[in-house]
């Protein structure tokens, strides 16, 4: 099958977790003998912020880390030659952050006789937080929507935005995210995530800063978009702030700490329950014990209490963290169970199987090699 991706970025993961997942999908498709081409804007916000903050060398380091990524970039979405970009395509996957101008052009190209199948890929909460923007997208020109959680899929169906919609969860790229035993420990607790724009500031204080301070943990945070007050709060809690971390380096960091946490953004907890961040999949794939702030696994993706511990409040977060750090058997059981669930259900190979099944259902050409590999 010949897949064409229009994404925000595969080269930059600065505040852009979808890059993690799509890299794994591309890796798996190429390994199975499929053809993939990816298009991304040269000056998209993730790439621009990465270069502005870390320099052009950071972008080049990502290119070297993923030399097989078939990325092509464009400057003006109005002038991209779609006949050339889509030549030979069987399935076209378009991420929600794609410029609306290009979305409209792709919908018209498909309606004008494109033989491929065209899917919209939603991996964010804008279906509820910016519904007018999503409603304005030309989705009647698409063959369907891939939503990264059932709650998001239900929004598209309920509001009549899409012809068809499927739930297509994120997953771990287990070729990269895997246990790395025998690494020397550098601390107790690590959290890799972004402070953001107020969507979880209170939750970070309640479930990360205060427990780490109360337990006097050797803790570190990696991430971006930490304003000065946030960095000050980390410092007062005794937590080291280490800034941006390239995603391909995350397994090494997880291996050097004893526990991590999952603290979902408020829109997912309140309006789109049941959707974990990509870091849940990646942490469990690395075999690091995980303690979660409140979220409801409505879709039964994991086994709460076995794959991870769930803290209802800050006091329980302290209790769970202390237990994981003081009881080696508990830590080992959590790590083994979480890794077992990832390998059984939540790898990029599983998601490629699902994607190819959807392509066959839509009658996409190239299905003859859908089972390759």
């Amino acid at each position: 099958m010949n897949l064409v991706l229009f994404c925000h970025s595969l080269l930059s993961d600065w505040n852009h977790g979808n890059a993690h997942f799509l890299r794994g999908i591309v890796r798996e498709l190429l390994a199975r003998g499929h053809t993939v081409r990816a298009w991304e804007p040269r000056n998209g916000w993730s790439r621009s912020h990465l270069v502005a903050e870390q320099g052009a060398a950071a972008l080049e380091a990502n290119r070297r880390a993923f030399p097989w990524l078939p990325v092509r970039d464009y400057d003006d979405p109005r002038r991209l030659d779609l006949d050339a970009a889509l030549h030979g395509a069987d399935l076209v996957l378009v991420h929600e952050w794609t410029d609306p101008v290009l979305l409209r052009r792709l919908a018209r190209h498909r309606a004008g006789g494109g033989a491929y199948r065209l899917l919209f890929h939603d991996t964010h909460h804008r279906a509820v937080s910016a519904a007018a923007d999503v409603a304005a997208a030309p989705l009647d020109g698409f063959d369907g929507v891939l939503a990264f959680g059932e709650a998001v899929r239900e929004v598209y169906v309920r509001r009549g935005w899409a012809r068809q919609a499927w739930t297509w969860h994120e997953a771990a790229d287990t070729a990269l995210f895997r246990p790395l035993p025998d690494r020397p420990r550098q601390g107790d607790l690590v959290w890799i995530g972004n402070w953001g724009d107020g969507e979880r500031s209170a939750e970070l204080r309640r479930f990360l800063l205060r427990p780490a301070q109360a337990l006097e943990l050797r803790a570190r945070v990696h991430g971006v978009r930490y304003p000065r007050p946030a960095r000050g709060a980390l410092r007062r809690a005794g937590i080291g702030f280490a800034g941006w971390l390239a995603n391909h380096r995350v397994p090494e960091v997880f291996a050097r700490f004893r526990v991590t946490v999952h603290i979902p953004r408020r829109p997912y907890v309140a309006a789109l329950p049941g959707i974990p961040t990509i870091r849940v999949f990646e942490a469990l794939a690395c075999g690091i014990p995980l303690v979660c702030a409140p979220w409801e696994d409505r879709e039964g993706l994991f086994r709460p209490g076995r794959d991870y511990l769930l803290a209802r409040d800050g006091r329980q977060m302290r209790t769970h963290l202390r237990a994981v750090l003081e009881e080696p058997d508990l830590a080992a059981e959590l790590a083994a169970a979480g890794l077992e669930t990832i390998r059984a259900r939540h790898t990029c190979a599983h998601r490629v199987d699902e994607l190819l099944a959807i392509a066959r259902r839509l009658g996409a050409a190239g299905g003859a090699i859908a089972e390759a590999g």
Side-chain angles (χ1 to χ4, degrees), residues 95-98 100 103 120 122-135 137 152 155-156 159 161 268 272:
H95 189 252
E96 55 157 329
W97 285 115
T98 300
L103 288 178
F120 187 74
D122 190 327
T123 65
H124 202 57
H125 56 64
R126 292 194 308 146
V128 293
S129 62
D133 293 342
V134 179
V152 177
V155 172
Y156 280 89
R159 298 184 178 178
W161 288 344
Y268 295 119
L272 295 170

Side-chain angles (χ1 to χ4, degrees), residues 130-324:
D133 293 342
V134 179
L139 297 182
D140 55 347
F142 284 66
D143 294 287
V145 169
L146 299 179
F148 81 140
E150 178 62 16
V152 177
R153 189 196 72 83
E154 289 173 352
V155 172
Y156 280 89
V157 172
R158 184 171 63 251
R159 298 184 178 178
W161 288 344
R163 296 180 185 178
Q164 303 178 85
W166 293 269
T167 298
W168 196 46
H169 293 288
E170 294 182 318
D173 177 6
T174 50
L176 174 62
F177 289 88
R178 64 199 189 281
L180 298 174
D182 303 323
R183 297 304 198 266
R185 299 293 190 188
Q186 295 178 339
D188 301 313
L189 169 66
V190 65
W191 186 65
I192 303 171
N194 305 322
W195 189 273
D197 48 13
E199 290 179 339
R200 57 180 166 195
S201 301
E203 290 83 355
L204 287 169
R205 295 177 189 277
R206 184 178 307 122
F207 292 100
L208 176 63
L209 275 66
R210 292 170 190 160
Q213 183 176 23
L215 296 172
E216 299 182 339
L217 301 184
R218 296 173 299 156
R220 184 197 299 174
V221 164
H222 287 272
V224 301
R225 300 178 68 195
Y226 281 75
R228 183 177 296 177
R231 296 195 299 272
L234 288 173
R235 186 170 55 254
R236 288 189 297 274
I239 299 174
F241 176 63
W244 176 74
L245 179 68
N247 198 51
H248 63 270
R249 296 177 54 206
V250 167
E252 279 284 350
V253 172
F254 276 150
R256 296 175 186 275
F257 286 79
R258 300 169 63 196
V259 66
T260 190
V261 294
H262 166 49
I263 305 173
R265 297 175 185 270
R266 199 172 306 124
Y268 295 119
V269 175
L272 295 170
I275 301 175
T277 71
I278 188 72
R279 291 295 184 201
V280 172
F281 298 104
E282 293 174 346
L284 297 181
C286 287
I288 184 172
L290 174 66
V291 184
C292 294
W295 74 285
E296 184 181 0
D297 185 8
R298 288 192 175 181
E299 298 179 60
L301 301 175
F302 305 104
R303 300 170 296 182
R306 292 185 60 191
D307 297 334
Y308 58 83
L309 299 179
L310 185 65
R312 295 186 299 271
D313 53 34
R315 177 177 295 181
Q316 194 168 47
M317 176 63 80
R318 293 194 301 272
T319 299
H320 287 334
L321 288 174
R322 182 185 292 111
V324 170

